[in-house]
């Protein structure tokens, strides 16, 4: 097992109170597996991604554990986490276009970053990796402003995986791109896994169709909790959770060229997480809901590798 | 690059034209007959001076000629470097009077501005690091930057000059000394320079410290800082980048603050009777010496424009983005 | 973005209520405005309570130190410093409000027009802004005041306003520019609203907090410029201002004679007004900008 997350709880401190953005999430990611993490904005997928590498200032680790390759990650301890960052867990952020220091040449920035982590820059390796994503070595002598958005994104992908981390978190990295670039980026990421630059990956997106193309397993979250987790094919062809079924039905046709549709085709909106209602959180929008749903549904394994949190399956 | 400097130079050229035009136009808005008015207001006792003035004004304004000719001849005299004749120090040419004062103002302003900028940036960056320091530097910075320059100057002159007696509070050098290149005179010069320098320095320091503190906090929240932190880079590296990048808006800020700094220097000089442009302006106003006033105005405008241009040059050297954009190299 | 915990779009009223909620709990804002308010009331009520005595009248023995009778002592001429002080405060607030107000008005007109219309108008206005920005304000005011013999508070405020708007116009332009492409502005445009109405109804309200903060900074700036002008000797000839008090004090050797009560109060009051405004502005920023609200 590469990654094991158990009952993870993370909350946001706001002046109006504590917002439970992640409310007890458990799952595993195997060696070599790409886990696609999907859901509407605010479902907790980005919070989950951040929890695995760096909680931002307002987030608090409220409970649960994260284990990577048998070692527990000290996710609530910013300093202790530093030992794991970059080497064991790495990140391709949502903001890749602006992730590079604008006033440093890229090569120099990478060298300074590595030196600050006590690593030496293997220039040949860096250039090979750049070549693998179709970038000339000259980009190292450029400033970020001289590169196109797509080029910057690829540079960030190469830099983030330079130390061959065990786990890579790719957070909404395609949302700013056009459809054809999205697919190229997704393919490049899968290529990183195939080449062994990263062992396993969590691919966060709101684009179910794109996830289905590269992920081995898909996990759908709703209102800070796991709704359904299943192999990619199963998830697309035989979803069990009513929410996932609606998501999949809302897709035009998986595999169609114009598949970049957002998950907005469902009436209503998720409950506020400041003071979430008891019971199933999808109850308000669910066509199947009845009185039984006033109790929180447990996550059950309905088939091998297929987990669903719903009373109605 | 050419486009960047082209735009800048156009703005400066236009500014110069506007300044000259204001300078030409304002006397024409004076109520009544400007020539008679000015000669009367000048209250010159020497008949020769009064006559010279009348002739000079009449010729200069050329009020019987069409407006465009008046305007053109105004430019003509200006471009010949002719700023007229001082009434207060008749018959010394205005340019001579000004050139005598300029070194004092520069000696006061240049070190005060540069040192306060450097020290303020350090202080602000330091304040952004420590909560305790932030809670002391920030209020102090706001108080300093809200202080009128002349008031801090008065307080320093009173406290360190009159009460403590450590520094002289008036003049550029002791009246008993003749300007010369001796160690004694230079020391005396320095002694007189300390207090005006200090009051300019302190007020400006507050503004820079606050600016840097706010900019660096903004930079520390930027995407590249988050990315580096996510990759476990030590805070030292992130702060170094943030400081470097926060300096860029501070350089622009230096250009924007020039006007305020000049104003500060002028009133500080007046407090200490420091023989620079500020004291000159005061004398010009007290003696109704309009040529001197207008000449000083033109000098200040030119000085500010030159300083702006120098800052532009520095900015291009420091910010690679301007150069990258200029080279037209784009992937 | 961060898990932008999906909530329904906040109502404007709720936003205002929330802002007020944080405003009364923000130490910087409350302290800053409290200081300004105390000084404002002193300036407004002081002259009324002190009776109709003109501030420059010789009322007592010269050079008296502060006492129960003369709170701030007297000048070398026997004028009551406290009387001058309260009248000077009044002038200071008047100049700040007038200069800051006029500058804010120009900045808004120029900024809105340039930012919303764009194109040639933007080019021209930006050029004008940059030109005025480079010219040293005080130097222009010196020339104007000296020649035209401007010696009234109102005209002084007017000219300060006319020369100190450029940085604010730049800021307003940038804000307008970013709001211009928002959905609700597009919607307003599609529904056939005119430019003026869109700016007044859709754009300005969405940056009202920003505009208010700009006004505060312009107010403080005007106070400082006016005090410098007064100090150089181009202040009002009628009445009194804090800058004029400083000028008189230095001109009549208050320093050498040790009459600290003459020059300390006016400068301290200017510093307090401007500093309190700046601090309140930081507080306002924290109230309106949720990102800075990390208590």
């Amino acid at each position: 097992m590469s990654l094991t997350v158990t009952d993870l709880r993370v909350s946001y401190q706001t002046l109006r109170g504590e917002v439970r953005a992640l409310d007890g999430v458990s799952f595993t990611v195997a060696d070599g597996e790409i886990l696609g993490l999907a859901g509407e904005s605010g479902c907790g997928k980005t919070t989950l991604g951040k929890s695995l590498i760096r909680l931002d200032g307002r987030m608090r680790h409220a409970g649960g554990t994260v284990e990577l390759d048998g070692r527990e990650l000290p996710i609530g301890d910013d300093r202790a986490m530093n030992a794991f960052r970059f080497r064991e867990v790495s990140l391709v952020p949502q903001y890749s276009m602006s992730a590079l220091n604008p006033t440093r040449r890229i090569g120099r920035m990478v060298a300074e970053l590595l030196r600050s982590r006590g690593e030496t820059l293997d220039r040949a390796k860096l250039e090979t990796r750049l070549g693998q994503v179709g970038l000339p070595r000259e980009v190292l002598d450029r400033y970020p402003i001289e590169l196109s958005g797509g080029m910057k994104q690829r540079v960030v992908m190469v830099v983030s995986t330079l130390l061959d981390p065990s786990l890579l978190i790719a957070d909404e990295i395609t949302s700013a791109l056009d459809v054809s670039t999205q697919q190229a980026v997704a393919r490049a990421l899968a290529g990183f896994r195939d080449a062994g630059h990263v062992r396993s990956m969590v691919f966060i997106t709101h684009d179910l169709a794109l996830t289905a193309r590269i992920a081995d397993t898909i996990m759908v979250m709703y209102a800070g909790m796991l709704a359904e987790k299943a192999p990619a094919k199963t998830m697309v062809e035989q979803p069990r959770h009513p929410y996932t079924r609606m998501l999949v039905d809302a897709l035009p046709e998986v595999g169609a060229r114009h598949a970049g549709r957002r998950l907005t085709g469902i009436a209503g909106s998720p409950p506020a997480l400041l003071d979430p209602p008891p019971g199933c959180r999808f109850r308000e929008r669910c066509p199947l809901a009845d009185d039984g749903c006033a109790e929180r549904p447990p996550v059950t394994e309905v088939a091998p590798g297929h987990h669903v949190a719903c009373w109605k399956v | 690059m050419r486009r960047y400097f082209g735009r800048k130079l156009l703005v400066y050229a236009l500014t110069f034209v506007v300044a000259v035009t204001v300078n030409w136009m304002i006397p024409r808005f004076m109520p009544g007959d400007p020539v008679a008015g000015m000669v009367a207001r000048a209250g010159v006792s020497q008949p020769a001076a009064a006559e010279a003035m009348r002739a000079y004004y009449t010729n200069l304004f050329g009020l019987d000629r069409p407006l465009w000719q008046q305007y053109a001849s105004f430019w003509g005299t200006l471009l010949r470097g002719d700023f007229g004749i001082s009434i207060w120090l008749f018959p010394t040419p205005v340019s001579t009077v000004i050139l005598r004062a300029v070194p004092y103002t520069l000696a006061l302003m240049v070190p005060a501005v540069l040192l306060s900028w450097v020290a303020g940036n350090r202080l602000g960056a330091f304040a952004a690091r420590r909560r305790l320091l932030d809670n002391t530097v920030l209020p102090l910075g706001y108080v300093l930057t809200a202080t009128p320059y002349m008031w801090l100057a008065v307080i320093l002159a009173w406290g360190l000059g009159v009460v403590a007696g450590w520094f002289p509070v008036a003049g550029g050098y002791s009246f008993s000394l003749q300007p010369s290149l001796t160690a004694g005179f230079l020391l005396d010069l320095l002694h007189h320079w300390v207090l005006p320098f200090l009051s300019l320095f302190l007020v400006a320091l507050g503004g820079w410290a606050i600016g840097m503190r706010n900019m660096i906090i903004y930079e520390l929240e930027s995407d590249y800082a988050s990315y580096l932190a996510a990759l476990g880079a030590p805070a030292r590296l992130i702060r170094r980048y943030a400081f470097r990048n926060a300096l860029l808006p501070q350089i622009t800020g230096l250009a924007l603050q020039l006007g305020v700094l000049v104003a500060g220097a002028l009133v500080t000089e007046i407090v200490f009777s420091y023989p620079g442009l500020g004291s000159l302006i005061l004398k010009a106003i007290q003696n109704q010496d309009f040529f001197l006033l207008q000449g000083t105005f033109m000098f200040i405008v030119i000085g500010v424009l030159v300083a702006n241009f120098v800052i532009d040059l520095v900015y291009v050297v420091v910010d690679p983005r301007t150069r990258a954009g200029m080279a037209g190299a784009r992937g | 973005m961060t898990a932008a915990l999906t909530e329904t779009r906040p109502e404007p009223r709720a936003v205002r209520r929330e802002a007020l909620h944080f405003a009364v709990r923000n130490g910087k804002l409350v302290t800053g405005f409290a200081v300004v308010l105390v000084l404002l009331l002193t300036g407004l009520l002081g002259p009324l309570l002190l009776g109709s005595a003109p501030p420059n009248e010789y009322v007592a023995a010269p050079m008296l130190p502060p006492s129960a009778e003369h709170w701030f002592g007297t000048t070398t001429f026997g004028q009551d410093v406290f009387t001058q002080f309260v009248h000077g405060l009044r002038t200071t607030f008047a100049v700040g409000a007038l200069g800051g107000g006029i500058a804010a008005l120009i900045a808004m007109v120029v900024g809105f027009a340039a930012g919303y219309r764009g194109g040639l108008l933007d080019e021209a206005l930006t050029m004008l802004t940059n030109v005025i920005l480079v010219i040293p304000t005080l130097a222009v005011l010196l020339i104007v005041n000296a020649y035209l013999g401007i010696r009234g508070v109102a005209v002084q405020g007017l000219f300060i306003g006319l020369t100190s708007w450029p940085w604010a116009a730049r800021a307003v332009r940038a804000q307008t520019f970013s709001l211009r492409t928002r959905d609700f502005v597009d919607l307003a445009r599609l529904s056939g609203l005119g430019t003026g109405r869109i700016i007044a109804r859709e754009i300005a309200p969405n940056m009202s907090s920003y505009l208010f903060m700009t006004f505060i900074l312009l107010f403080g700036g005007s106070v400082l410029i006016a005090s410098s002008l007064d100090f150089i000797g181009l202040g009002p000839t009628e009445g009194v201002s804090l800058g004029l008090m400083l000028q008189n004090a230095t001109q009549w050797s208050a320093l050498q004679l040790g009459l600290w009560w003459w020059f300390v109060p006016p400068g301290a009051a200017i510093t307090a007004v401007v500093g309190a405004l700046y601090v309140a502005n930081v507080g306002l920023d924290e109230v309106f900008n949720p990102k800075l609200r990390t208590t």
Side-chain angles (χ1 to χ4, degrees), chain C:
Chain C
M1 301 297 122
T2 55
L5 309 157
T6 318
E7 283 168 72
T8 44
R9 178 175 295 197
E11 290 283 315
R13 262 227 324 271
V15 170
R16 263 201 295 278
R17 215 175 30 235
E18 198 191 48
L20 194 69
H21 171 91
F22 289 115
V24 294
R25 279 163 187 75
N26 187 298
K28 294 180 186 120
L29 185 61
V30 173
T31 318
F33 275 149
V35 170
V36 174
L37 196 69
V38 166
L39 289 167
L40 177 64
L41 288 178
T42 311
L44 284 181
L45 304 178
L48 302 178
L49 297 177
L50 289 172
S52 56
N56 292 330
E57 196 148 303
Y58 308 144
V59 291
M63 298 199 272
L64 292 177
S67 64
E69 186 132 1
H70 302 284
W71 290 2
F72 288 178
T74 58
T75 70
T76 37
F77 307 105
Q79 297 153 315
D80 184 58
V81 177
F82 187 70
T83 310
Q84 294 196 330
F85 178 75
V86 291
H87 279 93
L89 268 177
R90 210 179 238 207
T91 314
T92 293
F93 277 105
V95 166
L98 206 61
I102 290 169
L105 207 65
I106 300 174
M108 274 162 60
V109 170
V110 172
F112 283 144
Y116 186 77
R117 272 303 178 77
L120 258 180
L121 184 68
D122 182 25
E123 286 279 329
L125 287 177
T126 303
M127 193 59 94
L128 175 74
T129 309
N130 286 339
V131 166
I132 310 271
L133 192 66
V134 178
I135 295 184
T137 310
L138 188 79
V140 177
L141 290 174
L142 281 177
I143 292 286
V144 171
N145 286 18
Y147 265 108
L148 305 188
I150 291 166
R151 291 296 199 269
V153 174
V155 193
Q156 191 187 47
L158 173 73
F159 275 92
I160 290 175
L162 285 176
T163 45
S164 55
W165 54 268
W167 70 264
R170 266 189 172 188
V172 172
R173 174 184 172 272
Q175 286 279 317
T176 309
F177 207 73
S178 71
L179 282 177
R180 183 174 72 157
T181 48
R182 294 282 191 80
D183 290 348
F184 60 86
V185 178
D186 281 340
L187 205 66
R189 208 175 299 138
L190 285 176
S191 65
L193 276 185
T195 305
R197 288 228 171 144
I198 292 179
I199 289 174
R201 281 200 206 159
E202 304 290 338
I203 292 185
N206 271 291
M207 49 193 281
S208 53
S209 59
Y210 193 81
L211 293 174
F212 184 58
M213 292 195 283
T214 310
F215 168 69
I216 286 185
L217 294 180
L218 287 169
F219 187 107
S222 298
V223 168
L224 286 179
I225 297 174
S227 68
S228 296
L229 279 173
D230 295 353
F231 184 75
I232 293 175
L234 295 170
T237 36
E238 305 277 304
V240 69
S241 76
L242 296 177
L244 209 58
M245 287 173 74
L246 276 177
Q247 191 227 352
N248 282 325
T250 43
Q251 194 175 352
W252 303 107
S253 311
L255 272 178
Q256 286 74 12
L257 298 171
L259 308 181
W260 55 268
W261 54 85
W262 193 358
F263 56 79
V264 170
I270 298 172
T271 310
V273 170
V274 179
L277 282 175
Y278 286 170
V279 170
N281 192 55
V282 178
L284 275 178
D285 205 13
E286 286 172 1
V287 168
F288 289 123
N289 191 348
K291 251 178 108 178
L292 301 173
R293 269 187 219 155
T294 43
T295 36

Side-chain angles (χ1 to χ4, degrees), chain A:
Chain A
M1 278 303 165
S2 178
L3 177 73
T4 308
V5 174
T6 314
D7 195 30
L8 184 61
R9 291 163 193 275
V10 171
S11 51
Y12 273 91
Q13 313 282 98
T14 73
L15 285 174
R16 279 193 266 165
E18 201 156 334
V19 173
R20 284 184 265 169
L22 275 187
D23 208 355
V25 176
S26 304
F27 64 94
T28 58
V29 181
D31 275 355
E33 181 177 348
I34 296 182
L35 174 72
L37 189 53
E40 288 166 278
S41 56
C43 73
K45 58 186 194 302
T46 295
T47 309
L48 178 54
K50 283 186 178 172
S51 307
L52 297 179
I53 186 158
R54 184 174 175 254
L55 294 173
D56 73 29
R58 293 174 303 143
M59 291 182 184
R60 196 174 64 84
H61 179 204
T65 56
V66 177
E67 236 176 68
L68 183 65
D69 300 327
R71 285 190 292 170
E72 186 177 339
L73 294 182
I75 63 166
D77 184 342
D78 192 50
R79 276 173 180 274
M81 258 315 271
N82 265 346
F84 294 90
R85 292 181 182 132
F86 204 7
R87 294 194 184 95
E88 306 294 331
V89 195
S90 196
L91 169 78
V92 178
Q94 192 172 4
Y95 49 79
S96 285
M97 308 296 165
S98 52
L100 301 168
N101 182 359
T103 59
R104 275 281 192 277
R105 288 180 205 277
I106 288 161
R108 186 168 164 206
M109 193 218 87
V110 175
E112 285 174 345
L113 170 63
L114 286 170
R115 202 180 322 126
S116 78
R117 296 298 317 267
E119 308 270 348
T120 41
L121 171 64
D122 182 346
R123 184 119 182 159
K125 180 179 173 187
L126 178 56
E127 285 174 8
T128 315
R129 294 268 173 105
L130 286 172
Q132 282 167 1
V133 293
L135 290 174
R137 73 173 74 148
E138 283 75 26
V139 296
L140 293 177
D141 300 321
R142 297 273 183 82
Y143 289 100
I145 195 180
E146 297 175 87
L147 269 53
S148 70
M151 289 167 89
K152 274 184 273 198
Q153 173 126 46
R154 279 177 279 164
V155 168
V156 169
M157 280 162 53
V158 167
V159 171
S160 292
T161 55
L162 203 56
L163 298 181
D164 300 340
S166 181
L167 175 69
L168 180 71
I169 298 150
D171 185 8
E172 297 265 16
I173 60 172
T174 55
S175 43
L177 304 172
D178 60 77
V179 177
S180 62
T181 322
Q182 279 180 2
Q183 305 210 347
V185 167
R187 269 200 305 278
L189 277 179
F192 276 29
R193 189 265 318 259
D194 298 340
H197 300 343
V198 297
R199 189 118 35 95
S200 44
M201 197 182 300
V202 173
F203 184 84
I204 302 170
T205 179
H206 53 240
D207 186 343
L208 199 54
L210 183 70
T211 318
R213 288 171 152 259
I214 72 153
D216 304 305
T217 314
I218 294 177
M219 183 163 108
V220 173
M221 292 183 63
Y222 188 79
M225 301 171 99
L226 188 151
E228 184 166 10
K229 178 174 181 268
K233 200 163 145 53
T234 315
M235 185 68 93
V236 172
E237 289 169 1
Q238 297 160 316
R240 303 287 284 271
H241 195 288
Y243 175 60
T244 324
R245 287 218 291 265
M246 291 164 89
L247 289 182
V248 172
D249 286 346
L251 293 177
E253 181 195 340
V254 175
R257 281 188 60 86
H258 53 281
R261 184 155 163 193
R262 294 188 175 217
L263 306 180
T264 49
I266 304 175
S269 57
L273 296 179
L274 188 64
D275 187 19
C280 176
R281 291 187 179 170
F282 189 55
R283 194 151 51 117
E284 295 291 311
R285 296 162 85 186
C286 183
L288 307 177
D290 59 24
D291 292 345
C293 299
E295 211 168 313
R296 178 179 289 195
V299 178
T300 47
E301 187 160 16
V302 293
H306 192 165
H307 304 260
V308 185
C310 178
W311 294 113
K312 299 291 167 186
V313 290

Side-chain angles (χ1 to χ4, degrees), chain B residues 167 172 185-195:
Chain B
F167 297 101
F185 179 76
L186 290 179
L187 220 62
D188 187 59
L189 212 57
L190 191 68
H191 202 198
H192 281 78
W193 170 86
V194 172
L195 282 186

Side-chain angles (χ1 to χ4, degrees), chain B residues 93-132:
Chain B
V94 164
S95 47
T96 314
V97 179
I98 290 174
L99 284 176
R100 241 185 270 151
V102 163
Y104 287 97
T105 297
L106 285 182
L108 205 55
M109 264 197 85
V110 174
V113 170
L114 291 182
L115 289 177
S116 69
W117 191 81
V118 171
N121 283 330
R122 294 262 151 219
L123 197 64
F126 212 61
R129 262 169 78 171
R130 309 246 162 98
R131 183 161 278 275
L132 179 80

